[in-house]
Amino acid sequence: MASAGAPGLALRLMDGAQPGAADYPGDWAAWERARIRVLADTGAWRRALQRLDERPSNLPRTFDHWAEYQQARCHLELGQAEAARQRLRALLWQRRADAADERVRRWRRAIVRSYLVGGAVEDAVTAMRRFDQDYADPGTAWAHLRGRVLLRAGRAHEAARHLAGARLDTPAARALTLLARLRSDARGASAIAQEALSAARADDADAPARARF
């Protein structure tokens, strides 16, 4: 229902259908995951954070780990970089930074992003380099974040090479790649501007995608 464009109605239905956490903690947690996703999809980050902060104490540990990461995510979306990092570091400490755990990768990527959100660009570069030392991450999300870090750090040539090699094919990634090329080669500005115009006019480009160009 939320995906059909009626998130408010979906949330009201959840209010009536979600079982009590005291008697059914596992079922309550499953419903709460769905609720937080709806709130996140609608940009209601403060409301989501409040729900997560006020969750009952008797929930499955797997849900608590998920909720703690979602709290960090909310802080990031609200521009609260230090609060996000505190949450993420606590998660890493709990997991003893087990590099084989996919969740640890996700948390460390989020720490890199937190430095960008807080304007600590060189710290973001350092965290990015450490991540690269520990992982060979081919994922598009990391490639895009890595490109953003390099651009913010004034390393446009490196960003352009990295993004070209990653071959990302989302509107956001294409826009970032063009920006990196523009900053690293001002002489090609005319050709790059033409590429951006063509991308904005593409048949598959929706309004948000066009705005990126």
Side-chain angles (χ1 to χ4, degrees):
M1 187 169 294
S3 61
L9 178 57
L11 291 169
R12 287 194 295 274
L13 290 174
M14 287 180 186
D15 288 339
Q18 189 171 16
D23 295 326
Y24 305 99
D27 292 338
W28 185 94
W31 279 90
E32 193 66 5
R33 281 179 185 258
R35 183 192 298 273
I36 296 301
R37 290 189 181 108
V38 171
L39 293 172
D41 287 345
T42 57
W45 299 107
R46 292 188 187 280
R47 191 174 168 191
L49 183 58
Q50 182 178 4
R51 291 280 312 187
L52 292 162
D53 286 344
E54 296 174 354
R55 69 185 185 275
S57 60
N58 64 325
L59 301 175
R61 190 62 190 138
T62 53
F63 178 83
D64 277 335
H65 274 139
W66 178 85
E68 287 158 11
Y69 172 68
Q70 297 305 314
Q71 287 171 304
R73 184 182 172 204
C74 290
H75 285 304
L76 285 175
E77 295 296 338
L78 293 168
Q80 300 165 354
E82 183 57 37
R85 252 190 324 277
Q86 289 177 4
R87 302 271 191 189
L88 293 163
R89 285 170 176 160
L91 283 168
L92 287 169
W93 183 85
Q94 291 168 22
R95 297 298 300 173
R96 300 295 192 272
D98 180 2
D101 191 329
E102 175 55 35
R103 289 173 298 180
V104 170
R105 290 193 189 202
R106 185 183 310 124
W107 300 337
R108 287 185 59 182
R109 287 193 296 262
I111 284 178
V112 175
R113 184 184 167 204
S114 78
Y115 285 123
L116 279 190
V117 169
V121 178
E122 287 306 314
D123 288 333
V125 172
T126 299
M128 178 194 77
R129 302 292 190 203
R130 288 174 178 166
F131 185 94
D132 284 339
Q133 288 173 1
D134 293 337
Y135 302 105
D137 191 334
T140 57
W142 174 242
H144 188 269
L145 178 58
R146 199 174 185 280
R148 287 175 56 202
V149 170
L150 292 169
L151 265 180
R152 287 280 299 276
R155 295 168 167 84
H157 285 283
E158 186 178 353
R161 289 196 304 271
H162 161 68
L163 290 166
R167 299 182 182 276
L168 305 180
D169 196 31
T170 64
R174 290 197 296 269
L176 190 68
T177 301
L178 289 171
L179 179 59
R181 287 173 52 199
L182 180 62
R183 290 185 179 176
S184 63
D185 182 16
R187 292 172 299 177
S190 178
I192 294 169
Q194 186 59 47
E195 284 187 54
L197 185 60
S198 297
R201 289 175 174 172
D203 292 338
D204 62 345
D206 56 16
R210 291 190 183 98
R212 295 182 187 277
F213 298 99

